[in-house]
Amino acid sequence: MNANALARLAVDFAMTALMVALMAYQVVGDVAHEVLGTLVGVLFIVHAVLNRHWFAHFFSGRATPMRVLQNFAILLVLLDAVTIMVTGVMISGTVFAFLDITRGVGVARSLHLAASYWGMVLMSVHIGLHWSMVMGMTRAVFRLKVHRGASAWLMRLGAAALAVCGAQAFRRVDAWGFLTLRNQFAFFDETQSDFAVLFSYFFIMALFIFLSYYTGRALQAFLSARKDAAR
């Protein structure tokens, strides 16, 4: 078992799970939100260290369309993560309250909310564009077999069902309003249970993982077909 691969999978899984919990603000509450947010920031740094080869080889190798798309998504994730962390520190009322920051708190609060939703989307896109690698690492670490035939189609149908649930959840929580800064205040949906709220954000992440994975597949298929046609 590759210890580095296992560590990367554990960090990635923890970050994804914590992202869902952080988005469900009404479930975890103020203090836990700040503590978990700080933990995600630490895990983000650990993730960057474990994947430091990406930074070392950023300007080397072939700039294929797929690689450019993946790198662009990573840069957006990095920019968004910095925004979340900086604004999170600014509006902190518990973990970083000792800094006693008062200037720009209103703007920071609005940016933090929008950046959090963008972080959820961008992290999901990042995962989706690297899904083949993630599954390859998972199979290598846990010695799992590749799904083929009926089981593979069953997995695809399950992923499609999660994406449909994600589209419904995206509309229900008005995620677009938060992404576009139209909604600048978080609201609590008292009609839903805590589990329903948590699963809403899990489904939204599943939607963007699904869309980005198949977008990447379609891009690769298109480029391959065009290359074959040019021969």
Side-chain angles (χ1 to χ4, degrees), residues 69-144:
L69 182 61
Q70 290 174 330
N71 288 350
F72 182 64
I74 292 174
L75 291 175
L76 290 179
V77 169
L78 289 171
L79 178 62
D80 188 81
V82 171
T83 302
I84 292 174
M85 287 189 280
V86 171
T87 55
V89 170
M90 290 179 66
I91 65 176
S92 173
T94 304
V95 178
F96 298 100
F98 64 91
L99 296 175
D100 195 27
I101 298 175
T102 56
R103 298 186 61 181
V105 171
V107 174
R109 197 178 305 279
S110 296
L111 285 176
H112 185 77
L113 187 58
S116 296
Y117 274 82
W118 276 109
M120 174 181 63
V121 170
L122 292 171
M123 177 185 270
S124 303
V125 169
H126 172 57
I127 294 172
L129 291 175
H130 291 83
W131 189 250
S132 295
M133 183 183 72
V134 171
M135 292 307 299
M137 288 173 56
T138 302
R139 285 192 290 266
V141 169
F142 297 104
R143 299 179 182 178
L144 301 175

Side-chain angles (χ1 to χ4, degrees), residues 19-29 117 120 165 169-170 172-173 187-205:
M19 173 62 76
V20 173
L22 288 170
M23 295 306 298
Y25 184 83
Q26 73 183 74
V27 176
V28 299
Y117 274 82
M120 174 181 63
C165 292
F170 187 89
R172 185 171 59 251
V173 303
F187 60 88
F188 296 165
D189 188 350
E190 302 294 345
T191 65
Q192 289 192 305
S193 67
D194 290 349
F195 281 111
V197 173
L198 285 168
F199 273 102
S200 290
Y201 292 104
F202 167 75
F203 289 143
I204 292 173
M205 292 192 72

